[in-house]
Amino acid sequence: MKRQVMLPKLQQCPYFIFPESVGWYQDFPDHSIYRQEGYYDSYSIHFILSGKGYVEIEGEQHVLQKGDAFLYFPFQEQRYYSSKDDPWDVRWIHFYGSHLKEFMLEKGFLRTLWTLKRWSELEEALHELLVEAELNSILKPANLSTLSYKILSEFMSYAAPLSSNRGIESVDRILAILPTMQQKACEPFILEEWAELTGVSTYYFCKLFRKATSMTPLSFITLCRIQFAKQRLIEKESLAIKEIAIQAGYASASYFNQRFQEQEGMTPSEFRSLYGKGLFE
């Protein structure tokens, strides 16, 4: 049995979060998904109400059952499937939106595997979205966005790292230093120092970091630096972009402009013109 609604993807999405699809699979032992890295550009949350299934991460199989959940970021490799003997009842939402990555990063939601301390509210919120999508499709987009945010909020309120994940202690070492890395992101980035702080080699540090956050250490540093620069651009409008580049950790203004445009789709000057005036009035 399955029940699902696929929605058209908004090319210019004005919402913080918006659903791409929502649904559930129950007593469906052939449910099996594989998406290669770089292929799928949406987020997704799945949570299990009964039965059993599996998620594979870097070739390692993890068993998930009632109360467990998994979260995927855009462009992540995805491989998950139901148990044949004990098919899962799995509920899911695929979604997208502006600034979601920064929001989830700030809240510490970077890993794939989770367990839920309670899930009745999450189940109810997903059912509300499913019914809304079935009845009105895209006719009431604000309702779809609001209900999607409710699902994300319920998930983030009750999700905890899945302790049965093999290698979790090593991954936790990475997650533990993320706030410090974010705080010091604008300082010179020296990979060897962070690896030494974690107690592993640089190679294993990068491997663990990618496993914990779905990005490289330098990608994380860049994200933090750009976030810092965006705040400076709109809060300190009299400050020259070259000075902001230096404060953000870039000796070259041209390289800062390049990295900013790659991340935001516009130059720092364009960002300041678009968002600077009156934003905090």
Side-chain angles (χ1 to χ4, degrees):
M1 295 174 61
K2 59 182 178 178
R3 181 179 175 187
Q4 59 185 348
V5 177
M6 311 295 293
L7 295 164
K9 193 164 187 178
L10 305 180
Q11 294 304 309
Q12 299 293 329
C13 181
Y15 300 101
F16 172 73
I17 184 173
F18 204 78
E20 184 179 80
S21 60
V22 58
W24 51 259
Y25 282 81
Q26 184 180 25
D27 295 326
F28 199 81
D30 293 328
H31 181 211
S32 178
I33 297 294
Y34 173 68
R35 300 184 178 100
Q36 64 185 16
E37 184 177 3
Y39 173 76
Y40 197 64
D41 62 354
S42 293
Y43 299 81
S44 67
I45 293 172
H46 297 70
F47 62 99
I48 301 161
L49 295 184
S50 64
K52 185 170 65 175
Y54 308 93
V55 172
E56 290 189 13
I57 302 175
E58 295 183 349
E60 183 178 347
Q61 186 188 73
H62 303 267
V63 181
L64 277 75
Q65 51 196 351
K66 181 178 180 179
D68 294 336
F70 51 102
L71 164 69
Y72 282 122
F73 272 60
F75 307 113
Q76 223 179 329
E77 182 183 47
Q78 302 181 18
R79 188 188 295 273
Y80 55 93
Y81 43 93
S82 174
S83 164
K84 298 285 188 180
D85 300 325
D86 187 15
W88 59 14
D89 178 354
V90 61
R91 312 296 166 99
W92 50 265
I93 175 176
H94 294 262
F95 58 98
Y96 57 98
S98 59
H99 307 299
L100 275 173
K101 190 170 188 177
E102 293 92 334
F103 175 72
M104 298 177 79
L105 171 67
E106 182 182 349
K107 301 297 183 183
F109 280 80
L110 297 168
R111 66 172 73 233
T112 299
L113 303 181
W114 301 85
T115 190
L116 299 167
K117 291 175 282 187
R118 53 190 290 182
W119 58 86
S120 58
E121 293 89 349
L122 181 59
E123 180 185 4
E124 180 181 341
L126 190 137
H127 181 73
E128 287 182 68
L129 176 61
L130 181 59
V131 171
E132 173 64 30
E134 288 174 334
L135 290 177
N136 296 307
S137 184
I138 203 75
L139 294 178
K140 297 181 178 180
N143 286 356
L144 296 174
S145 178
T146 300
L147 290 169
S148 298
Y149 183 72
K150 183 178 180 180
I151 291 170
L152 180 60
S153 297
E154 294 291 355
F155 173 76
M156 296 175 79
S157 295
Y158 299 116
L162 184 62
S163 59
S164 60
N165 182 14
R166 286 173 52 195
I168 197 73
E169 293 180 359
S170 298
V171 170
D172 278 344
R173 277 185 275 172
I174 298 296
L175 297 177
I177 66 169
L178 288 182
T180 306
M181 289 185 70
Q182 185 175 32
Q183 182 182 1
K184 297 186 175 184
C186 297
E187 300 176 9
F189 174 68
I190 302 174
L191 176 62
E192 290 78 9
E193 291 184 358
W194 291 106
E196 183 178 354
L197 180 64
T198 315
V200 297
S201 68
T202 55
Y203 170 79
Y204 194 53
F205 177 83
C206 292
K207 184 176 181 179
L208 282 176
F209 199 96
R210 187 173 180 83
K211 185 174 184 179
T213 68
S214 301
M215 66 182 85
T216 66
L218 190 55
S219 295
F220 176 79
I221 293 295
T222 299
L223 191 65
C224 295
R225 287 178 174 181
I226 297 302
Q227 185 175 357
F228 169 84
K230 287 167 69 176
Q231 289 297 121
R232 302 297 281 176
L233 285 165
I234 59 180
E235 292 174 352
K236 302 289 183 180
E237 294 191 57
S238 62
L239 203 60
I241 289 177
K242 181 178 181 181
E243 182 61 30
I244 292 176
I246 293 172
Q247 291 183 7
Y250 296 100
S252 164
S254 61
Y255 184 65
F256 166 66
N257 287 346
Q258 177 187 338
R259 301 301 294 166
F260 193 97
Q261 186 158 23
E262 288 174 355
Q263 181 68 34
E264 299 297 321
M266 65 183 78
T267 66
S269 297
E270 291 169 338
F271 178 85
R272 173 176 272 173
S273 297
L274 186 60
Y275 295 107
K277 295 187 182 298
L279 184 63
F280 295 101
E281 294 177 1

